[in-house]
Amino acid sequence: AVVQRRISGCRYAWSVLDSAGDDSSGSEASSTPDVQVEANIEHFRTLRYFCMESWASLEERLGRVKELVGMYEPNQDQQAVIVVNDVAVKPVLKMLSCQLEAADLCSLRSSASPEEIEVAVANWQAGNTFVLVLSLEISMSPELQLERAPAILVNAEVPMGAPLLLHELRLRADRDTRVHCLFSKSLPNSVVLPIMGLAEEAGHEVPPDLEAHWCFGLDS
């Protein structure tokens, strides 16, 4: 099916089955033709809080991560998952160590062993981990099973394909998760416009700067 939306005069058509794009995450989902698109869309529509932001650089996105962690103050009862690219995992841990105790932080990179994943999940379920920093590859993987969804999910990195982002959100967020997607301004329209359309349809705010950049090629 083709989803069409008008975002303040920005008209586009998108076929969810044909717009998976060139995913650079290296995840198994990127090579799987059937990513349960309709189920992922329906899950997205259940999200009560979905915030989209656009940033020009990785440094700006990571700075925003720090701001959000400071704003939410994650704890045992309000855990957070931060998704970044693989090489940014360690810098993010170092950055957050100024705000949280080392024992409250945990991370998983794409090279994580099954044993490391098992330990991370156990600490998460026990509430010992306040902030779990994941590489995009790990976040996209169904091998990471978190029985309790985070209260806050910050995607500082998103996969190169709107259906894959919806797939990841279905894995990591429930209806009460406060989801923040920090889009790089270098992302193609095929990734961002479909999400903007679905967000608008679900009643979420579409920030004017995203519309200006991806609909009309303008930046303030």
Side-chain angles (χ1 to χ4, degrees), residues 12-207:
Y12 66 93
W14 170 60
S15 170
V16 295
L17 297 178
D18 297 329
S19 64
D22 179 19
D23 175 54
S24 60
S25 69
S27 68
E28 289 185 10
S30 65
S31 60
T32 304
D34 179 11
V35 289
Q36 299 179 315
V37 173
E38 293 299 332
N40 295 341
I41 290 174
E42 287 306 311
H43 175 266
F44 179 84
R45 289 171 176 153
T46 70
L47 299 179
R48 298 174 62 183
Y49 186 94
F50 180 76
C51 178
M52 297 173 289
E53 304 177 24
S54 64
W55 299 92
S57 68
L58 175 61
E59 290 72 19
E60 289 179 342
R61 298 202 306 276
L62 296 187
R64 179 57 174 156
V65 167
K66 185 176 182 179
E67 289 179 0
L68 289 170
V69 169
M71 180 178 75
Y72 284 115
E73 298 183 339
N75 54 56
Q76 188 174 29
D77 300 316
Q78 182 171 270
Q79 295 164 289
V81 166
I82 311 295
V83 181
V84 296
N85 64 42
D86 208 48
V87 298
V89 170
K90 286 187 176 180
V92 168
L93 284 176
K94 182 178 180 180
M95 176 182 73
L96 297 182
S97 66
C98 299
Q99 297 169 283
L100 294 159
E101 299 291 334
D104 300 333
L105 294 166
C106 182
S107 68
L108 289 172
R109 299 182 61 182
S110 59
S111 58
S113 67
E115 293 76 19
E116 289 173 322
I117 293 175
E118 182 178 355
V119 170
V121 169
N123 283 324
W124 175 268
Q125 298 303 133
N128 297 329
T129 297
F130 297 174
V131 175
L132 178 59
V133 181
L134 302 176
S135 73
L136 179 59
E137 291 86 345
I138 288 290
S139 187
M140 291 283 294
S141 174
E143 293 181 9
L144 178 63
Q145 298 282 344
L146 298 177
E147 294 180 12
R148 182 171 62 251
I152 306 106
L153 172 66
V154 181
N155 264 83
E157 192 74 24
V158 300
M160 289 293 287
L164 297 179
L165 175 56
L166 295 174
H167 170 73
E168 190 230 358
L169 292 177
R170 187 182 178 199
L171 286 175
R172 299 294 156 232
D174 66 14
R175 67 189 301 269
D176 294 318
T177 301
R178 300 181 72 83
V179 179
H180 292 263
C181 275
L182 313 182
F183 293 111
S184 166
K185 288 187 176 182
S186 64
L187 287 171
N189 288 7
S190 61
V191 176
V192 183
L193 286 180
I195 302 301
M196 289 168 62
L198 287 171
E200 182 183 62
E201 179 190 67
H204 301 294
E205 180 183 358
V206 176

